[in-house]
Amino acid sequence: MQTTFANIKSDWNSILQDELQKAYFQNLTSFLKEKRKIYSVFPEEKNVFEAFNLTPLNKTKVVIIGQDPYHGKGQAHGLSFSVPNGFKIPPSLKNIFKELHADLGLQIPTNGNLTKWAEQGVLLLNVTLTVKEKEAGSHQKQGWETFTNHIINTISDEKEGVVFLLWGKFAQNKTDLIDSKKHFILKAPHPSPFSAYSGFFGCKHFSKTNEILIKNNQKPIDWKLCSNTLTLF
């Protein structure tokens, strides 16, 4: 785990070195090492910290908080809500794309890879960064929450004017970690099919985010992912 993290070419590398030495993270490292011997853990070790690799702290403008990685083989690649090219778009991401279409008029992409967003300063952060195959939530309460809480605190303390998109109660539980006097917090129900119709659809978080960024003299996010489209309606 530490070797993998040392390979990250972003400012998070130095920022988090002290955190990686703490007892809880050492215990988490041991836990993951043992579990990878027993069963499949997603994402692959090389992709666990991909969000930090693609979105340095000094470029972070938006944070989207997810719960834990997809637990199907090959789906998780270190970015919340995202799947690699070629994988079927999961239900929650389909609903994100539907809202994107309704909000900004963008067509539905054929793939669910959100790397382009991450490269523009959208930190796609899962609260738990690993999971057992076919078992959602299986690596909760092992230390990841402490680590990602530290990430949120660091962004809140070190940055100004970041837009936090908190979708669902799980993400909204992180509200107290964010200084609302310095940052912008947008809340909506989770985009899951079980809750999207309760207020996620119509939240217009994509246009609102760009309005906030522009008002604060920051470049807006180009939410369009690709030229190829697929109708989901």
Side-chain angles (χ1 to χ4, degrees):
M1 295 289 292
Q2 290 176 319
T3 300
T4 301
F5 199 88
N7 291 334
I8 291 181
K9 308 301 181 184
S10 83
D11 55 6
W12 285 112
N13 189 303
S14 58
I15 292 166
L16 294 172
Q17 284 303 316
D18 289 344
E19 197 69 14
L20 300 181
Q21 303 306 316
K22 293 183 177 180
Y24 85 87
F25 196 88
Q26 296 296 315
N27 292 336
L28 173 60
T29 299
S30 298
F31 167 81
L32 291 170
K33 183 177 180 181
E34 291 303 311
K35 296 307 180 184
R36 286 190 184 276
K37 294 177 182 177
I38 300 170
Y39 56 69
S40 295
V41 174
F42 301 137
E44 294 181 31
E45 189 171 343
K46 66 180 181 180
N47 290 329
V48 170
F49 300 108
E50 186 68 359
F52 308 107
N53 197 21
L54 294 173
T55 314
L57 176 62
N58 64 8
K59 293 185 179 180
T60 298
K61 299 190 290 188
V62 181
V63 179
I64 299 179
I65 298 177
Q67 189 163 340
D68 60 354
Y70 296 120
H71 51 83
K73 186 175 181 179
Q75 285 183 303
H77 65 138
L79 307 177
S80 63
F81 294 103
S82 180
V83 291
N85 293 339
F87 279 81
K88 183 179 179 180
I89 299 174
S92 291
L93 187 54
K94 283 184 180 180
N95 286 338
I96 290 171
F97 288 163
K98 287 180 180 179
E99 175 58 22
L100 189 64
H101 171 79
D103 186 8
L104 296 177
L106 298 180
Q107 293 299 310
I108 305 297
T110 57
N111 71 82
N113 190 334
L114 305 182
T115 296
K116 181 181 175 182
W117 293 0
E119 292 174 338
Q120 296 178 75
V122 181
L123 182 65
L124 298 166
L125 178 68
N126 279 317
V127 171
T128 304
L129 298 187
T130 58
V131 69
K132 178 182 180 181
E133 183 177 13
K134 298 180 180 180
E135 194 171 320
S138 50
H139 286 184
Q140 293 177 6
K141 300 181 180 179
Q142 297 296 332
W144 279 129
E145 294 87 347
T146 301
F147 179 75
T148 52
N149 282 352
H150 177 73
I151 297 294
I152 297 169
N153 274 140
T154 298
I155 296 169
S156 181
D157 291 344
E158 300 296 328
K159 302 280 290 185
E160 290 187 10
V162 174
V163 183
F164 289 83
L165 304 184
L166 306 183
W167 297 336
K169 292 182 179 179
F170 194 90
Q172 290 164 16
N173 286 338
K174 305 299 179 182
T175 301
D176 290 344
L177 300 173
I178 305 163
D179 186 347
S180 60
K181 296 179 181 178
K182 294 172 59 182
H183 303 285
F184 303 90
I185 301 172
L186 301 181
K187 297 181 180 181
H190 195 275
S192 161
F194 299 106
S195 55
Y197 287 94
S198 299
F200 178 78
F201 290 140
C203 71
K204 298 186 181 298
H205 277 187
F206 302 103
S207 61
K208 289 178 180 179
T209 294
N210 279 351
E211 289 170 4
I212 291 169
L213 293 175
I214 292 169
K215 286 181 181 179
N216 284 272
N217 299 313
Q218 297 192 74
K219 185 178 180 180
I221 305 299
D222 178 6
W223 297 105
K224 185 178 180 180
L225 291 171
C226 63
S227 57
N228 296 324
T229 59
L230 173 70
T231 301
L232 295 181
F233 304 97

